[in-house]
Amino acid sequence: MQPAITFEEFWNWDSAAEALPQLLSTFVETTLLITVVGTLIAVTLGLLLAVLVEALPGIVTKPLRFVMDFIRMTPLIVQLIFVSYLVPVSWPLLWVGTVVIGVHYSTYMAESYIAGIASVDKGQWEAARALSLSQGRTWRDVVIPQGIRATLPSLGNWAIAMFKDTPFLFGIGVIEMVTEAQQYGAATFRYNEAFTIAGLIFLVASLVTAFAVRRLEKALVY
């Protein structure tokens, strides 16, 4: 029988202390940056797509729907690699990957927005027409605020999902936190510490995001 693995063989506190600063630095400089900027792109573009789908005639929305479905149903890693070969070599792959992941998740958020818009009571539209509000003002002041309130929990979930998908950027050579953990393990043969710390950072950041979304959701309830 093989001897049981001791705790010292499984976990080394010195290696953990050495890996932690490197992983935290990569998390802030790369993983968090990708998530924040990607979420801003997804939230903004997703809302624009939802409004266009709901406001424009079918002859325009059907091709738009097709493009959205194509992006949503194509694997993110494939999109990242494909786009990375299309753009000029001089373009920073970090920003290329951030835009791709933002556009990818904008299609998911657009569907959430569409559901939120559909949940707005028809009486709100009728009241806006009775007040002679323009279509633009009706969307801006009546429909979109209510739709966003209904959509907020779903948007938060998509933001967390995007955060957990940032490791896919390794496919185009971006060194994010998981890749940093893998490289640390390859250099020191201490994979357990590096990947455990990376997983804990993902967990803590996801919990903080979920808590912030819940607080924002409660603040917007009226």
Side-chain angles (χ1 to χ4, degrees), residues 147-164:
I148 290 177
R149 290 188 184 94
T151 307
L152 193 59
S154 177
L155 298 182
N157 289 335
W158 289 128
I160 293 173
M162 181 193 302
F163 171 58
K164 293 187 292 184

Side-chain angles (χ1 to χ4, degrees), residues 29-106:
E29 296 176 1
T30 305
T31 302
L32 187 60
L33 176 65
I34 293 169
T35 304
V36 171
V37 177
T39 299
L40 291 175
I41 293 172
V43 166
T44 305
L45 181 58
L47 179 59
L48 176 61
L49 291 172
V51 172
L52 292 176
V53 167
E54 290 296 301
L56 295 179
I59 193 172
V60 178
T61 59
K62 286 182 179 179
L64 182 60
R65 275 283 198 178
F66 174 79
V67 173
M68 290 169 58
D69 290 340
F70 179 82
I71 293 174
R72 191 172 63 255
M73 297 178 186
T74 307
L76 175 59
I77 184 66
V78 174
Q79 295 175 12
L80 287 165
I81 294 173
F82 181 76
V83 174
S84 70
Y85 282 114
L86 289 180
V87 300
V89 179
S90 59
W91 287 21
L93 291 177
L94 171 63
W95 294 111
V96 171
T98 300
V99 172
V100 171
I101 198 172
V103 172
H104 180 84
Y105 271 93
S106 72

Side-chain angles (χ1 to χ4, degrees), residues 87-147:
V87 300
V89 179
S90 59
W91 287 21
L93 291 177
L94 171 63
W95 294 111
V96 171
T98 300
V99 172
V100 171
I101 198 172
V103 172
H104 180 84
Y105 271 93
S106 72
T107 59
Y108 290 97
M109 293 191 180
E111 294 296 336
S112 297
Y113 281 125
I114 290 171
I117 292 170
S119 70
V120 177
D121 190 270
K122 291 183 179 180
Q124 300 290 320
W125 294 89
E126 294 171 358
R129 283 195 293 269
L131 293 172
S132 300
L133 297 182
S134 65
Q135 186 176 18
R137 189 174 177 187
T138 299
W139 277 99
R140 185 181 68 249
D141 296 338
V142 179
V143 178
I144 290 178
Q146 295 183 59

Side-chain angles (χ1 to χ4, degrees), residues 22-40 94-95 97-99 101-102 159-170 174-182 197-206 209:
Q22 299 179 32
L23 295 175
L24 282 176
S25 176
T26 305
F27 168 74
V28 173
E29 296 176 1
T30 305
T31 302
L32 187 60
L33 176 65
I34 293 169
T35 304
V36 171
V37 177
T39 299
L40 291 175
L94 171 63
W95 294 111
T98 300
V99 172
I101 198 172
I160 293 173
M162 181 193 302
F163 171 58
K164 293 187 292 184
D165 276 353
T166 54
F168 281 124
L169 271 72
F170 84 94
V174 176
I175 301 177
E176 39 62 57
M177 186 170 58
V178 173
T179 306
E180 181 70 30
Q182 192 277 331
I197 292 172
L200 289 174
I201 293 174
F202 270 113
L203 176 61
V204 171
S206 296
T209 302

